[in-house]
Amino acid sequence: MTPVRLDGRSLTRAQLVAVAHGASVELDESRLPAVARAAEFLAAQVAREEPIYGVSTGFGSNADRLLGGRRVRSGAGPDAINPHESLHAELQHNLIVTHAVCVGEPFAPEVVRAMLCIRINTLLRGHSGIRVETLQALVAMLNAGIVPVVPQLGSVGASGDLAPLSHLAIVLLGGGEAFYQGERLPGGEALSRAGLEPVTLSYKEGLALNNGTAQMLACGVLALSKLEELLDTADLAAAMTVDAFAGRTGAFAEEVHALRPHPGQVEVAAHLRKLLDGSTLADIPYHLVPRFRPWTPQAWDQDDADAPGFDLAWDWVPADQRHGREKFYQRFRPFRGGKKHQPQDSYSLRCVPQVHGAVRDAVAQAARVLEIELNSLTDNPIVFPDADREHVEEQVVSAGHFHGMPLALAMSYVKAAIPTLASISERRLNKLVDPATNDGLPAFLIGNEDATESGFMIVQYTAAAIVNDLASRAMPASVYSIPTSANAEDHVSMGANEARHVLAMVEDLGKVLGLELYTAAQALDLRLDMINAARALARGGDAAALAGKVHGGPRDRDGALQDTFGSEVEGLRAELASAPEFRPG
């Protein structure tokens, strides 16, 4: 697998997904002088005893506490990392150690690898103050296959993903835990087995490592990667269901969607037209579609081995029921089979472009946000070493790029879209199994004449349960800020929860779409078997054989077909017999 070259400016979602699944990374050497320049600038300012947030001050609500030139107590305190190290190094070390307090199950390795890649890429911007050797140590850890154990719960999405990113960084220091070659190990042992040494942090390096949006961004990018595949799967499931219904394609016409050209809607309509191209089921005349009847010994004249395992039926519409509808029955023959005589399908079929398209637009908006974030600086404070300013605070600027609200709101949009896509899929599935709505298919898609099978009844239950679960999880976390750090951080994004939810919800969306595909495949097989059985009957027999499947037709005392009914049945027989074999798109 080709290594992904990181330069802080051109990382793509596809490259991040590749790294998440095992690709190595390399640094663009041309970016390293800028990285070094920022680190050297901070060291010079510390030597001048300038107060700089997170470098010579505490963090958050402790920002008003300045580090002195020596310890307040003589000797080392019981929690000091090393009495010979500077207070500045101890500050950065303790920042990581005290912030690595997430709980819950660990993130999957691909999420953690993506987090590491994102963090390396943003640090390459050269405004974070991290040393080149520390950045290279991060790369070495990633490429060695060391995956820090990062529990899933603990980030409020501002100041970035402090706690989960601290779990990443603590392994670099020789602490915490990590997965390495299939084992869960102490962080220091994982480094040792990979031939790597722990890092001692310098000015602002702890803050540079744990202050950013890498967790929410990693979850968001991986979620969208899967979701974009499922968008096509959803269109495929819908097209299969349209074919299984022998549905109508007029609602997908190009000229229709040119009048309301939302990008996703137009794309889905075009996709459906492509998927349904060549179908001889879609837009079929109503009267050619028989409805299902359970098999009986009298259903077919041929040997049981060759006969279909079901029966077929139509109802004849007498002349006295055609008044006011004469023009309709000039175009369509007077037989009611499985397909309802109505010019439009239900919303779950007809409105697929509008619903699936809106979901595509939500995903596209989220993708735009994530692509910007991938190559953005997201820590604090921001170092401008070459700015010509009078005071250091104008060169080391405290801002809010760690705040995850741009990602959180984008994920909220996607979070609402996922149950929408699942819901319309479940509604299509339900239509297929319900004999009141499935246009002549057997109830629950099973033709068992002994009534010993439930068919696809419980498949719909499972889909309904998942849709309900998705809907109950769609509440946007981003609307519910809980202040932290003694109100120094008095508005947070909750974007980490939002993206984590979306990543999990995408997996369940795939299950619903899989259930629709499973059900639509059964329905499509049944529809094809039924209509091709009608065609075979028409091609192999006379009108009387077909008339045996038609209810309500008049016959004389000897059982012969009366003239009008007989001629109309013959017309149906001839049309079926001349039709090519029916097939889906």
Side-chain angles (χ1 to χ4, degrees):
M1 196 178 294
T2 304
V4 172
R5 179 175 289 266
L6 301 177
D7 61 8
R9 285 167 166 76
S10 61
L11 179 63
T12 66
R13 289 190 294 129
Q15 288 176 321
L16 183 67
V17 172
V19 173
H21 290 98
S24 61
V25 302
E26 60 186 21
L27 301 178
D28 185 335
E29 296 290 331
S30 69
R31 299 301 311 153
L32 298 184
V35 173
R37 173 79 180 101
E40 292 161 1
F41 170 80
L42 284 181
Q45 299 307 311
V46 170
R48 293 172 54 194
E49 299 185 355
E50 291 281 3
I52 302 172
Y53 173 75
V55 177
S56 52
T57 75
F59 306 103
S61 62
N62 287 327
D64 59 345
R65 300 184 64 178
L66 302 178
L67 269 66
R70 59 182 183 275
R71 301 180 189 280
V72 174
R73 297 184 189 182
S74 59
D79 297 323
I81 56 169
N82 185 331
H84 303 295
E85 283 189 344
S86 70
L87 290 175
H88 297 91
E90 185 177 329
L91 175 72
Q92 300 302 315
H93 179 97
N94 286 345
L95 173 69
I96 299 301
V97 171
T98 60
H99 283 49
V101 291
C102 289
V103 297
E105 291 298 312
F107 276 113
E110 59 266 24
V111 175
V112 179
R113 286 183 58 85
M115 290 169 64
L116 278 166
C117 181
I118 290 165
R119 201 75 217 121
I120 294 165
N121 193 61
T122 193
L123 293 172
L124 275 169
R125 293 302 300 261
H127 293 279
S128 300
I130 196 167
R131 293 170 300 165
V132 169
E133 54 265 38
T134 305
L135 194 54
Q136 290 170 331
L138 270 180
V139 172
M141 185 170 77
L142 175 61
N143 287 344
I146 295 173
V147 179
V149 173
V150 182
Q152 295 188 22
L153 302 175
S155 174
V156 296
S159 297
D161 297 318
L162 288 170
L165 286 174
S166 295
H167 283 274
L168 282 186
I170 199 170
V171 174
L172 194 67
L173 310 184
E177 291 183 293
F179 296 104
Y180 182 65
Q181 296 182 341
E183 290 187 66
R184 185 169 177 168
L185 305 166
E189 185 176 345
L191 289 178
S192 178
R193 288 196 188 183
L196 303 177
E197 294 292 330
V199 169
T200 299
L201 299 178
S202 185
Y203 310 116
K204 193 184 173 289
E205 287 192 323
L207 196 56
L209 289 170
N210 78 356
N211 203 226
T213 60
Q215 179 202 313
M216 63 185 95
L217 183 54
C219 288
V221 169
L222 293 174
L224 255 60
S225 176
K226 296 178 181 180
L227 185 51
E228 285 168 337
E229 293 180 2
L230 291 180
L231 294 175
D232 287 342
T233 302
D235 292 351
L236 174 61
M240 284 182 68
T241 301
V242 168
D243 254 342
F245 273 105
R248 303 157 182 87
T249 62
F252 312 143
E254 184 175 5
E255 64 271 21
V256 169
H257 294 279
L259 299 175
R260 194 196 191 199
H262 292 292
Q265 179 179 320
V266 171
E267 183 179 355
V268 171
H271 196 200
L272 291 174
R273 292 195 300 272
K274 181 178 179 181
L275 289 166
L276 291 167
D277 184 44
S279 172
T280 54
L281 291 174
D283 299 317
I284 191 172
Y286 304 101
H287 55 266
L288 294 184
V289 183
R291 71 175 179 273
F292 173 88
R293 290 185 67 199
W295 177 89
T296 66
Q298 296 77 36
W300 305 95
D301 291 336
Q302 61 212 90
D303 293 339
D304 287 349
D306 299 323
F310 50 83
D311 198 1
L312 306 174
W314 285 266
D315 290 321
W316 182 65
V317 182
D320 61 2
Q321 294 182 21
R322 304 178 200 175
H323 297 315
R325 306 179 182 88
E326 288 82 2
K327 287 189 175 180
F328 177 86
Y329 287 110
Q330 289 171 11
R331 181 181 174 191
F332 299 103
R333 300 184 189 279
F335 301 94
R336 290 182 182 144
K339 195 68 186 164
K340 293 183 177 66
H341 289 185
Q342 59 188 37
Q344 58 186 25
D345 289 321
S346 65
Y347 285 7
S348 62
L349 301 179
R350 183 171 22 130
C351 298
V352 169
Q354 290 79 4
V355 177
H356 288 203
V359 174
R360 281 184 182 268
D361 287 341
V363 172
Q365 164 62 8
R368 183 190 68 81
V369 172
L370 298 184
E371 285 160 2
I372 292 172
E373 192 80 356
L374 274 175
N375 295 290
S376 296
L377 187 86
T378 58
D379 61 307
N380 179 68
I382 303 170
V383 181
F384 294 95
D386 298 319
D388 185 13
R389 298 290 189 270
E390 182 179 356
H391 301 292
V392 69
E393 59 266 25
E394 297 174 299
Q395 292 177 283
V396 184
V397 180
S398 288
H401 285 356
F402 50 71
H403 203 291
M405 193 54 75
L407 280 70
L409 287 178
M411 290 294 101
S412 295
Y413 193 4
V414 174
K415 199 176 181 184
I418 287 172
T420 298
L421 195 59
S423 175
I424 195 171
S425 174
E426 183 277 330
R427 288 293 81 198
R428 291 190 297 262
L429 189 165
N430 182 74
K431 275 181 64 67
L432 288 168
V433 300
D434 184 349
T437 61
N438 69 8
D439 285 0
L441 294 170
F444 306 115
L445 301 180
I446 196 72
N448 176 238
E449 60 277 358
D450 295 317
T452 58
E453 299 179 27
S454 297
F456 281 61
M457 179 193 298
I458 305 301
V459 175
Q460 186 266 332
Y461 284 43
T462 301
I466 298 171
V467 170
N468 174 265
D469 186 62
L470 286 170
S472 68
R473 292 152 66 190
M475 164 72 180
S478 57
V479 303
Y480 191 43
S481 171
I482 301 177
T484 55
S485 190
N487 276 310
E489 298 162 3
D490 55 359
H491 185 275
V492 300
S493 75
M494 297 298 178
N497 283 343
E498 207 77 281
R500 181 173 55 82
H501 294 164
V502 168
L503 183 58
M505 291 168 71
V506 167
E507 295 292 335
D508 287 341
L509 169 63
K511 295 168 188 171
V512 176
L513 295 175
L515 292 171
E516 184 188 358
L517 286 166
Y518 174 49
T519 307
Q522 171 81 346
L524 188 53
D525 280 350
L526 284 167
R527 183 72 75 191
L528 286 167
D529 288 348
M530 289 164 58
I531 198 165
N532 280 319
R535 175 178 174 271
L537 181 65
R539 289 166 67 91
D542 56 18
L546 188 63
K549 306 299 182 186
V550 179
H551 296 183
R555 301 169 185 263
D556 61 24
R557 290 183 179 180
D558 297 326
L561 306 183
Q562 290 190 2
D563 290 345
T564 300
F565 175 60
S567 64
E568 290 176 341
V569 170
E570 172 56 29
L572 175 63
R573 188 205 67 77
E575 190 173 348
L576 278 168
S578 63
E581 185 172 4
F582 291 97
R583 65 182 187 277

